[in-house]
Amino acid sequence: MKCPYCAYQESKVVDSRHSDDGMSIRRRRECLSCQKRFTTYETVESIPIVVVKKDNSRESFDRNKILRGMVRACEKRPVSMADIEAAVADIEQIVQNSLEREVSTGKIGELVMERLKPLDEVAYVRFASVYRQFKDINSFMYELNKILEEK
């Protein structure tokens, strides 16, 4: 680490502490040349995930959009907010851990439906009806029949 006072390349770590938010490490360093102390912060480098929409436009990944969609699908259903949050965290983890830096809305939608189905079948069908853009009652019935066949 380069000293901000004399630009010497070598320093030693005198003290290390976790930051208040737990997302970085604060290090007190001492320059081996001028003996002045300075502070550095070490954080995990996060590579932003880009979501590719159906019209091929791109935007940054936003977990709150997934949360809002799942909350809306689970409205007036016996699904706890903790279960919804856990599902969103799981989806976010899968997206972050993938080797790809771009993810399609289709992939995200499928992940949401996979998490909603065991939580609440009505919420699953609500979400699927919007996500898959059911055009008529037959496509709606097809999805309902798939659920009934799995039981």
Side-chain angles (χ1 to χ4, degrees):
M1 181 63 59
K2 192 183 221 182
C3 174
Y5 304 106
C6 70
Y8 190 68
Q9 291 288 335
E10 301 293 322
S11 65
K12 68 178 180 180
V13 176
V14 179
D15 182 41
S16 287
R17 295 182 188 181
H18 291 281
S19 65
D20 293 335
D21 63 3
M23 299 300 291
S24 63
I25 297 175
R26 178 183 181 270
R27 299 196 193 281
R28 287 293 292 161
R29 295 178 176 271
E30 184 176 299
C31 176
L32 296 177
S33 176
C34 68
Q35 278 71 46
K36 289 190 178 180
R37 291 187 177 191
F38 57 98
T39 303
T40 60
Y41 291 91
E42 181 179 318
T43 60
V44 174
E45 182 178 21
S46 63
I47 301 169
I49 302 293
V50 175
V51 177
V52 181
K53 299 173 85 172
K54 289 179 184 175
D55 65 356
N56 282 333
S57 64
R58 286 162 166 70
E59 65 180 46
S60 296
F61 177 81
D62 183 3
R63 81 183 305 272
N64 290 323
K65 280 188 162 186
I66 298 170
L67 182 64
R68 284 191 304 270
M70 290 184 76
V71 166
R72 184 170 291 135
C74 295
E75 206 167 87
K76 297 183 183 179
R77 299 297 305 156
V79 180
S80 72
M81 195 62 193
D83 287 342
I84 296 171
E85 282 281 352
V88 171
D90 189 33
I91 292 166
E92 183 178 28
Q93 190 72 42
I94 289 168
V95 170
Q96 291 286 349
N97 288 344
S98 73
L99 299 176
E100 299 160 10
R101 294 298 109 201
E102 289 188 349
V103 63
S104 70
T105 54
K107 176 67 175 168
I108 294 172
E110 293 298 325
L111 290 169
V112 169
M113 288 193 299
E114 285 174 18
R115 301 309 176 283
L116 274 177
K117 200 172 201 176
L119 290 178
D120 188 84
E121 290 173 344
V122 172
Y124 165 78
V125 172
R126 283 179 180 169
F127 187 86
S129 69
V130 173
Y131 170 70
R132 293 205 172 124
Q133 299 175 342
F134 293 161
K135 302 281 189 259
D136 55 20
I137 193 71
N138 291 330
S139 55
F140 199 79
M141 286 304 294
Y142 174 76
E143 196 65 38
L144 290 174
N145 287 331
K146 276 185 10 187
I147 292 172
L148 290 173
E149 286 173 10
E150 290 175 6
K151 285 189 169 189

mmCIF file of all heavy atoms in Angstrom, residues 1-2 4 11 13 15-29 37-45:
data_model
loop_
_atom_site.group_PDB
_atom_site.id
_atom_site.type_symbol
_atom_site.label_atom_id
_atom_site.label_comp_id
_atom_site.label_asym_id
_atom_site.label_seq_id
_atom_site.Cartn_x
_atom_site.Cartn_y
_atom_site.Cartn_z
ATOM 1 N N MET A 1 0.859 -1.178 0.000
ATOM 2 C CA MET A 1 0.000 0.000 0.000
ATOM 3 C C MET A 1 0.901 1.236 0.000
ATOM 4 O O MET A 1 1.787 1.365 0.841
ATOM 5 C CB MET A 1 -0.897 -0.032 1.236
ATOM 6 C CG MET A 1 -1.854 1.116 1.360
ATOM 7 S SD MET A 1 -3.096 1.273 0.078
ATOM 8 C CE MET A 1 -3.967 -0.257 0.188
ATOM 9 N N LYS A 2 0.654 2.124 -0.915
ATOM 10 C CA LYS A 2 1.452 3.331 -1.065
ATOM 11 C C LYS A 2 1.107 4.335 0.034
ATOM 12 O O LYS A 2 -0.057 4.624 0.290
ATOM 13 C CB LYS A 2 1.151 3.934 -2.433
ATOM 14 C CG LYS A 2 2.075 5.026 -2.867
ATOM 15 C CD LYS A 2 1.586 5.564 -4.203
ATOM 16 C CE LYS A 2 2.719 5.826 -5.127
ATOM 17 N NZ LYS A 2 2.266 6.378 -6.399
ATOM 18 N N PRO A 4 0.319 7.736 1.707
ATOM 19 C CA PRO A 4 -0.231 8.983 1.168
ATOM 20 C C PRO A 4 0.635 10.207 1.476
ATOM 21 O O PRO A 4 0.458 11.263 0.879
ATOM 22 C CB PRO A 4 -1.595 9.104 1.852
ATOM 23 C CG PRO A 4 -1.491 8.286 3.079
ATOM 24 C CD PRO A 4 -0.500 7.195 2.789
ATOM 25 N N SER A 11 4.368 -0.650 3.782
ATOM 26 C CA SER A 11 3.791 -0.265 5.058
ATOM 27 C C SER A 11 3.479 -1.531 5.830
ATOM 28 O O SER A 11 3.421 -2.625 5.267
ATOM 29 C CB SER A 11 2.524 0.569 4.871
ATOM 30 O OG SER A 11 1.526 -0.206 4.254
ATOM 31 N N VAL A 13 0.765 -3.326 8.762
ATOM 32 C CA VAL A 13 -0.546 -3.215 9.379
ATOM 33 C C VAL A 13 -0.354 -3.192 10.887
ATOM 34 O O VAL A 13 0.255 -4.083 11.474
ATOM 35 C CB VAL A 13 -1.457 -4.385 8.962
ATOM 36 C CG1 VAL A 13 -2.788 -4.321 9.682
ATOM 37 C CG2 VAL A 13 -1.664 -4.379 7.455
ATOM 38 N N ASP A 15 -3.175 -2.314 13.040
ATOM 39 C CA ASP A 15 -4.435 -2.731 13.655
ATOM 40 C C ASP A 15 -5.453 -3.038 12.559
ATOM 41 O O ASP A 15 -5.510 -2.341 11.553
ATOM 42 C CB ASP A 15 -4.956 -1.605 14.563
ATOM 43 C CG ASP A 15 -6.235 -1.974 15.288
ATOM 44 O OD1 ASP A 15 -6.359 -3.119 15.754
ATOM 45 O OD2 ASP A 15 -7.121 -1.108 15.389
ATOM 46 N N SER A 16 -6.260 -4.085 12.764
ATOM 47 C CA SER A 16 -7.337 -4.435 11.837
ATOM 48 C C SER A 16 -8.632 -4.604 12.614
ATOM 49 O O SER A 16 -8.647 -5.232 13.665
ATOM 50 C CB SER A 16 -7.047 -5.758 11.120
ATOM 51 O OG SER A 16 -6.039 -5.601 10.176
ATOM 52 N N ARG A 17 -9.699 -4.043 12.079
ATOM 53 C CA ARG A 17 -11.022 -4.177 12.702
ATOM 54 C C ARG A 17 -12.078 -4.282 11.619
ATOM 55 O O ARG A 17 -11.957 -3.692 10.556
ATOM 56 C CB ARG A 17 -11.357 -2.945 13.546
ATOM 57 C CG ARG A 17 -10.463 -2.747 14.722
ATOM 58 C CD ARG A 17 -10.906 -1.558 15.509
ATOM 59 N NE ARG A 17 -9.903 -1.276 16.523
ATOM 60 C CZ ARG A 17 -9.990 -0.318 17.391
ATOM 61 N NH1 ARG A 17 -11.022 0.489 17.377
ATOM 62 N NH2 ARG A 17 -9.051 -0.132 18.283
ATOM 63 N N HIS A 18 -13.153 -4.996 11.967
ATOM 64 C CA HIS A 18 -14.305 -5.033 11.071
ATOM 65 C C HIS A 18 -15.032 -3.703 11.185
ATOM 66 O O HIS A 18 -15.123 -3.123 12.262
ATOM 67 C CB HIS A 18 -15.266 -6.162 11.452
ATOM 68 C CG HIS A 18 -14.705 -7.519 11.194
ATOM 69 N ND1 HIS A 18 -14.671 -8.073 9.946
ATOM 70 C CD2 HIS A 18 -14.133 -8.426 12.022
ATOM 71 C CE1 HIS A 18 -14.109 -9.261 10.011
ATOM 72 N NE2 HIS A 18 -13.773 -9.504 11.265
ATOM 73 N N SER A 19 -15.562 -3.218 10.073
ATOM 74 C CA SER A 19 -16.337 -1.986 10.117
ATOM 75 C C SER A 19 -17.670 -2.261 10.810
ATOM 76 O O SER A 19 -18.046 -3.412 11.041
ATOM 77 C CB SER A 19 -16.579 -1.454 8.706
ATOM 78 O OG SER A 19 -17.386 -2.362 7.995
ATOM 79 N N ASP A 20 -18.394 -1.192 11.127
ATOM 80 C CA ASP A 20 -19.669 -1.331 11.828
ATOM 81 C C ASP A 20 -20.674 -2.162 11.040
ATOM 82 O O ASP A 20 -21.449 -2.919 11.611
ATOM 83 C CB ASP A 20 -20.269 0.045 12.133
ATOM 84 C CG ASP A 20 -19.431 0.826 13.145
ATOM 85 O OD1 ASP A 20 -18.718 0.173 13.939
ATOM 86 O OD2 ASP A 20 -19.497 2.065 13.132
ATOM 87 N N ASP A 21 -20.679 -1.998 9.715
ATOM 88 C CA ASP A 21 -21.649 -2.735 8.902
ATOM 89 C C ASP A 21 -21.203 -4.157 8.577
ATOM 90 O O ASP A 21 -21.958 -4.937 8.015
ATOM 91 C CB ASP A 21 -21.969 -1.975 7.619
ATOM 92 C CG ASP A 21 -20.759 -1.796 6.707
ATOM 93 O OD1 ASP A 21 -19.656 -2.305 7.031
ATOM 94 O OD2 ASP A 21 -20.902 -1.140 5.663
ATOM 95 N N GLY A 22 -19.961 -4.504 8.927
ATOM 96 C CA GLY A 22 -19.460 -5.848 8.685
ATOM 97 C C GLY A 22 -19.107 -6.131 7.232
ATOM 98 O O GLY A 22 -18.787 -7.260 6.876
ATOM 99 N N MET A 23 -19.171 -5.114 6.403
ATOM 100 C CA MET A 23 -18.931 -5.306 4.973
ATOM 101 C C MET A 23 -17.510 -4.934 4.553
ATOM 102 O O MET A 23 -17.163 -5.082 3.389
ATOM 103 C CB MET A 23 -19.931 -4.484 4.152
ATOM 104 C CG MET A 23 -21.383 -4.858 4.390
ATOM 105 S SD MET A 23 -21.763 -6.566 4.002
ATOM 106 C CE MET A 23 -21.603 -6.549 2.242
ATOM 107 N N SER A 24 -16.710 -4.444 5.470
ATOM 108 C CA SER A 24 -15.336 -4.085 5.131
ATOM 109 C C SER A 24 -14.456 -4.244 6.368
ATOM 110 O O SER A 24 -14.946 -4.391 7.480
ATOM 111 C CB SER A 24 -15.269 -2.650 4.602
ATOM 112 O OG SER A 24 -15.669 -1.735 5.585
ATOM 113 N N ILE A 25 -13.156 -4.201 6.129
ATOM 114 C CA ILE A 25 -12.183 -4.274 7.212
ATOM 115 C C ILE A 25 -11.386 -2.982 7.208
ATOM 116 O O ILE A 25 -10.874 -2.551 6.177
ATOM 117 C CB ILE A 25 -11.237 -5.479 7.046
ATOM 118 C CG1 ILE A 25 -12.042 -6.775 7.111
ATOM 119 C CG2 ILE A 25 -10.146 -5.463 8.105
ATOM 120 C CD1 ILE A 25 -11.219 -8.014 6.845
ATOM 121 N N ARG A 26 -11.309 -2.359 8.360
ATOM 122 C CA ARG A 26 -10.550 -1.114 8.536
ATOM 123 C C ARG A 26 -9.157 -1.495 9.008
ATOM 124 O O ARG A 26 -9.006 -2.240 9.980
ATOM 125 C CB ARG A 26 -11.259 -0.243 9.576
ATOM 126 C CG ARG A 26 -10.556 1.041 9.881
ATOM 127 C CD ARG A 26 -11.334 1.770 10.993
ATOM 128 N NE ARG A 26 -10.735 3.006 11.325
ATOM 129 C CZ ARG A 26 -9.802 3.191 12.251
ATOM 130 N NH1 ARG A 26 -9.368 2.167 12.957
ATOM 131 N NH2 ARG A 26 -9.303 4.386 12.481
ATOM 132 N N ARG A 27 -8.145 -0.995 8.326
ATOM 133 C CA ARG A 27 -6.764 -1.301 8.706
ATOM 134 C C ARG A 27 -6.000 -0.009 8.976
ATOM 135 O O ARG A 27 -6.033 0.916 8.173
ATOM 136 C CB ARG A 27 -6.060 -2.069 7.594
ATOM 137 C CG ARG A 27 -6.700 -3.403 7.273
ATOM 138 C CD ARG A 27 -5.750 -4.272 6.471
ATOM 139 N NE ARG A 27 -6.375 -5.415 5.876
ATOM 140 C CZ ARG A 27 -6.680 -6.542 6.498
ATOM 141 N NH1 ARG A 27 -6.409 -6.662 7.772
ATOM 142 N NH2 ARG A 27 -7.250 -7.530 5.851
ATOM 143 N N ARG A 28 -5.324 0.029 10.117
ATOM 144 C CA ARG A 28 -4.396 1.125 10.423
ATOM 145 C C ARG A 28 -3.031 0.650 9.976
ATOM 146 O O ARG A 28 -2.583 -0.432 10.330
ATOM 147 C CB ARG A 28 -4.374 1.438 11.923
ATOM 148 C CG ARG A 28 -5.598 2.154 12.433
ATOM 149 C CD ARG A 28 -5.755 3.557 11.894
ATOM 150 N NE ARG A 28 -4.719 4.439 12.417
ATOM 151 C CZ ARG A 28 -4.380 5.594 11.880
ATOM 152 N NH1 ARG A 28 -4.985 6.018 10.798
ATOM 153 N NH2 ARG A 28 -3.434 6.329 12.411
ATOM 154 N N ARG A 29 -2.375 1.476 9.169
ATOM 155 C CA ARG A 29 -1.068 1.118 8.628
ATOM 156 C C ARG A 29 -0.034 2.152 9.048
ATOM 157 O O ARG A 29 -0.365 3.301 9.297
ATOM 158 C CB ARG A 29 -1.125 1.046 7.104
ATOM 159 C CG ARG A 29 -2.030 -0.051 6.588
ATOM 160 C CD ARG A 29 -2.084 -0.042 5.066
ATOM 161 N NE ARG A 29 -2.869 -1.131 4.567
ATOM 162 C CZ ARG A 29 -2.398 -2.351 4.280
ATOM 163 N NH1 ARG A 29 -1.117 -2.599 4.427
ATOM 164 N NH2 ARG A 29 -3.202 -3.271 3.828
ATOM 165 N N ARG A 37 1.092 7.248 10.159
ATOM 166 C CA ARG A 37 0.019 6.258 10.096
ATOM 167 C C ARG A 37 -1.116 6.742 9.208
ATOM 168 O O ARG A 37 -1.396 7.933 9.127
ATOM 169 C CB ARG A 37 -0.504 5.962 11.496
ATOM 170 C CG ARG A 37 0.519 5.211 12.321
ATOM 171 C CD ARG A 37 -0.041 4.776 13.636
ATOM 172 N NE ARG A 37 0.953 3.994 14.355
ATOM 173 C CZ ARG A 37 0.713 3.301 15.428
ATOM 174 N NH1 ARG A 37 -0.495 3.292 15.958
ATOM 175 N NH2 ARG A 37 1.676 2.617 16.013
ATOM 176 N N PHE A 38 -1.770 5.785 8.561
ATOM 177 C CA PHE A 38 -2.928 6.086 7.732
ATOM 178 C C PHE A 38 -3.883 4.896 7.770
ATOM 179 O O PHE A 38 -3.521 3.801 8.193
ATOM 180 C CB PHE A 38 -2.515 6.451 6.297
ATOM 181 C CG PHE A 38 -1.692 5.405 5.586
ATOM 182 C CD1 PHE A 38 -2.300 4.517 4.703
ATOM 183 C CD2 PHE A 38 -0.313 5.318 5.777
ATOM 184 C CE1 PHE A 38 -1.553 3.570 4.033
ATOM 185 C CE2 PHE A 38 0.443 4.370 5.112
ATOM 186 C CZ PHE A 38 -0.173 3.491 4.233
ATOM 187 N N THR A 39 -5.106 5.145 7.345
ATOM 188 C CA THR A 39 -6.154 4.126 7.395
ATOM 189 C C THR A 39 -6.540 3.695 5.988
ATOM 190 O O THR A 39 -6.657 4.523 5.084
ATOM 191 C CB THR A 39 -7.406 4.692 8.113
ATOM 192 O OG1 THR A 39 -7.032 5.126 9.412
ATOM 193 C CG2 THR A 39 -8.503 3.647 8.222
ATOM 194 N N THR A 40 -6.742 2.387 5.824
ATOM 195 C CA THR A 40 -7.252 1.850 4.570
ATOM 196 C C THR A 40 -8.471 0.972 4.883
ATOM 197 O O THR A 40 -8.649 0.522 6.010
ATOM 198 C CB THR A 40 -6.201 1.001 3.831
ATOM 199 O OG1 THR A 40 -5.811 -0.098 4.666
ATOM 200 C CG2 THR A 40 -4.989 1.838 3.454
ATOM 201 N N TYR A 41 -9.295 0.765 3.879
ATOM 202 C CA TYR A 41 -10.469 -0.096 4.013
ATOM 203 C C TYR A 41 -10.417 -1.174 2.944
ATOM 204 O O TYR A 41 -10.151 -0.888 1.773
ATOM 205 C CB TYR A 41 -11.765 0.712 3.872
ATOM 206 C CG TYR A 41 -11.987 1.643 5.038
ATOM 207 C CD1 TYR A 41 -11.507 2.944 5.008
ATOM 208 C CD2 TYR A 41 -12.658 1.210 6.172
ATOM 209 C CE1 TYR A 41 -11.689 3.804 6.073
ATOM 210 C CE2 TYR A 41 -12.851 2.057 7.247
ATOM 211 C CZ TYR A 41 -12.367 3.350 7.189
ATOM 212 O OH TYR A 41 -12.551 4.187 8.261
ATOM 213 N N GLU A 42 -10.679 -2.386 3.346
ATOM 214 C CA GLU A 42 -10.698 -3.514 2.420
ATOM 215 C C GLU A 42 -12.145 -3.985 2.285
ATOM 216 O O GLU A 42 -12.797 -4.263 3.282
ATOM 217 C CB GLU A 42 -9.844 -4.642 2.985
ATOM 218 C CG GLU A 42 -9.760 -5.856 2.118
ATOM 219 C CD GLU A 42 -8.869 -6.920 2.743
ATOM 220 O OE1 GLU A 42 -7.804 -6.581 3.280
ATOM 221 O OE2 GLU A 42 -9.272 -8.094 2.683
ATOM 222 N N THR A 43 -12.644 -4.036 1.041
ATOM 223 C CA THR A 43 -14.005 -4.485 0.790
ATOM 224 C C THR A 43 -14.005 -5.532 -0.318
ATOM 225 O O THR A 43 -13.067 -5.598 -1.117
ATOM 226 C CB THR A 43 -14.928 -3.328 0.343
ATOM 227 O OG1 THR A 43 -14.396 -2.766 -0.853
ATOM 228 C CG2 THR A 43 -15.041 -2.258 1.407
ATOM 229 N N VAL A 44 -15.043 -6.308 -0.367
ATOM 230 C CA VAL A 44 -15.201 -7.289 -1.426
ATOM 231 C C VAL A 44 -15.630 -6.555 -2.686
ATOM 232 O O VAL A 44 -16.544 -5.723 -2.651
ATOM 233 C CB VAL A 44 -16.274 -8.341 -1.042
ATOM 234 C CG1 VAL A 44 -16.552 -9.276 -2.205
ATOM 235 C CG2 VAL A 44 -15.838 -9.113 0.178
ATOM 236 N N GLU A 45 -14.973 -6.863 -3.767
ATOM 237 C CA GLU A 45 -15.339 -6.240 -5.037
ATOM 238 C C GLU A 45 -16.544 -6.977 -5.599
ATOM 239 O O GLU A 45 -16.523 -8.196 -5.777
ATOM 240 C CB GLU A 45 -14.173 -6.338 -6.025
ATOM 241 C CG GLU A 45 -14.448 -5.683 -7.334
ATOM 242 C CD GLU A 45 -13.256 -5.771 -8.267
ATOM 243 O OE1 GLU A 45 -12.396 -6.628 -8.074
ATOM 244 O OE2 GLU A 45 -13.207 -4.961 -9.200
#
